Amino acid sequence: QGYVASIKQSGRNLVQLINDILDLSKIEAHKVELDTHDFNLETEIASTSNLLTLHAREKDLTCTTVIDPEVPLLLKGDAWRLRQIITNLLGNAIKFTQKGAVSLHVSLEDQNQHQATLRFTVQDSGIGIAADKLEQIFAPFTQADTSTTRSFGGTGLGLTISRQLVELMGGTIGVESSEGTGSTFWFTVPLAKQPEGTVSGSSHPAAGLLPQQPVPLPPVADTIRLLLAEDEPTNQIFIRSILQKSGYRLDLAQNGREALDLLEKNDYTLVLMDCMM
C-alpha cells in the first residue's frame, strides 16, 4: 500500500510538472488565447475555493473567502484562466501555512459602465518570504529558498504562470511579505461587465446541456447497451473495465466512422463520446 501511495503521488507530481511546463511554453510562445465568455464570479470563486478548502481543513487551517458587496458578479472574460491564477495563489498559501489561516478577498478597484477592475488578495499566516527574495519568486523554476522544494514540493512554475496570465489579461500582480509572518499576494484584472438583464450561470460551455436532476437508470444494468467512442487505448481499458464490472453491455468504437456505423446497426441507451476525438 505504501508503494502504491508513492507511485500515485509521483504520478500526480509528474502530471503537474508536465502541465505547468506546457502552460509556460504556450505562454512564452504567445500561443495562449483568452477564451472570453459570460460567467458568474460568485459561482467561479465558490467552485475554486471549495476544493482548496478541503486541503486547508486537512491541515486544520481556517480558510475564508469574501467578495465585497459592490463587486459586480455578472462578468465577461476567461473564467478558466482566472480560476487557474486563484488556484495557484490560494494553493500556495495553504501549502506554505502550517497553522493559522488563509483567505481570499475580492474587492472593486475601479469600474465604469462597461468594465470593472477587480483586485484579488490572497493572505496567509505561513512561513513568509525574505525581503531579498521577493523579486525572484516570479521567475521560472525558482522558489524563495533552496530547501523549499524538499520541504513543500512544487515545480516553481505556479507564480510564473500566474504572472504571465495576469499580464495577458491586462492586469498586474504583486506580493508583500516578510519572513516568518506570512504573505499577501494580490493581482488585479479588468473584466467586461455583462449587459444588464443577462442571466449567467456556470462558465462551462456545456453546463446548460446537463440535466438538473439525475436520470434514474433501469434496475437491471445488463438491459442497458452502451456505445463508447474513444480512441485512446488506456482510456478504453479503464472505462470498459468500470462499465463491464457494473454489468453494462458495451460496444467500442475507435474512431468517428466506427461510431456512426455502429449507431446505424444498433439501438443504444447511451453514447459516451470523447469530444476531442
Side-chain angles (χ1 to χ4, degrees):
Q1 187 175 355
Y3 288 144
V4 172
S6 297
I7 293 169
K8 186 176 181 180
Q9 187 58 51
S10 297
R12 286 174 174 169
N13 293 342
L14 182 59
V15 168
Q16 184 63 54
L17 175 61
I18 293 171
N19 285 338
D20 285 348
I21 291 174
L22 288 174
D23 260 346
L24 187 62
S25 299
K26 286 189 289 186
I27 292 170
E28 291 182 341
H30 305 290
K31 296 297 184 181
V32 172
E33 296 182 2
L34 297 178
D35 180 17
T36 300
H37 51 262
D38 293 346
F39 68 91
N40 185 310
L41 180 66
E42 190 172 32
T43 302
E44 300 301 330
I45 293 294
S47 64
T48 304
S49 62
N50 284 346
L51 180 59
L52 293 169
T53 298
L54 294 176
H55 297 312
R57 287 176 182 169
E58 290 172 357
K59 300 178 68 175
D60 292 324
L61 301 175
T62 301
C63 186
T64 58
T65 301
V66 175
I67 303 176
D68 285 350
E70 63 269 21
V71 173
L73 300 179
L74 300 183
L75 300 167
K76 184 188 293 276
D78 193 329
W80 190 86
R81 292 297 185 183
L82 184 62
R83 290 199 308 271
Q84 185 177 4
I85 299 166
I86 295 171
T87 298
N88 280 340
L89 297 185
L90 198 54
N92 272 355
I94 295 170
K95 179 167 66 173
F96 294 115
T97 302
Q98 298 305 312
K99 61 180 180 178
V102 296
S103 65
L104 169 63
H105 179 208
V106 186
S107 58
L108 180 63
E109 189 97 341
D110 189 24
Q111 73 171 329
N112 56 38
Q113 184 179 357
H114 304 290
Q115 181 176 277
T117 299
L118 304 186
R119 184 182 184 92
F120 298 80
T121 304
V122 174
Q123 191 169 15
D124 66 63
S125 58
I127 62 176
I129 305 166
D132 61 341
K133 303 293 185 181
L134 289 176
E135 292 297 324
Q136 69 185 48
I137 61 172
F138 289 102
F141 301 105
T142 301
Q143 293 183 327
D145 188 272
T146 53
S147 64
T148 298
T149 301
R150 292 182 182 274
S151 300
F152 297 95
T155 63
L157 288 175
L159 291 179
T160 304
I161 292 170
S162 297
R163 184 190 65 182
Q164 301 274 23
L165 290 176
V166 167
E167 292 176 353
L168 185 64
M169 297 170 75
T172 56
I173 189 170
V175 59
E176 300 161 6
S177 181
S178 58
E179 200 167 10
T181 61
S183 304
T184 300
F185 283 85
W186 58 267
F187 69 94
T188 62
V189 287
L191 296 163
K193 297 161 73 172
Q194 295 179 32
E196 290 187 10
T198 302
V199 177
S200 180
S202 168
S203 66
H204 194 292
L209 302 178
L210 297 176
Q212 296 302 308
Q213 298 293 331
V215 178
L217 292 175
V220 182
D222 61 11
T223 65
I224 300 176
R225 188 172 186 181
L226 307 179
L227 173 62
L228 171 63
E230 172 61 66
D231 59 352
E232 212 289 319
T234 302
N235 290 346
Q236 292 173 4
I237 295 170
F238 179 66
I239 299 172
R240 174 185 280 171
S241 173
I242 291 175
L243 294 175
Q244 289 183 340
K245 283 181 179 178
S246 299
Y248 294 100
R249 299 169 61 200
L250 181 69
D251 292 338
L252 173 66
Q254 303 195 55
N255 57 57
R257 171 49 56 193
E258 286 185 16
L260 292 175
D261 290 342
L262 287 168
L263 276 170
E264 288 181 357
K265 298 174 183 176
N266 304 296
D267 184 19
Y268 294 103
T269 305
L270 187 69
V271 179
L272 303 174
M273 293 199 307
D274 172 3
C275 63
M276 297 299 292
M277 190 172 72

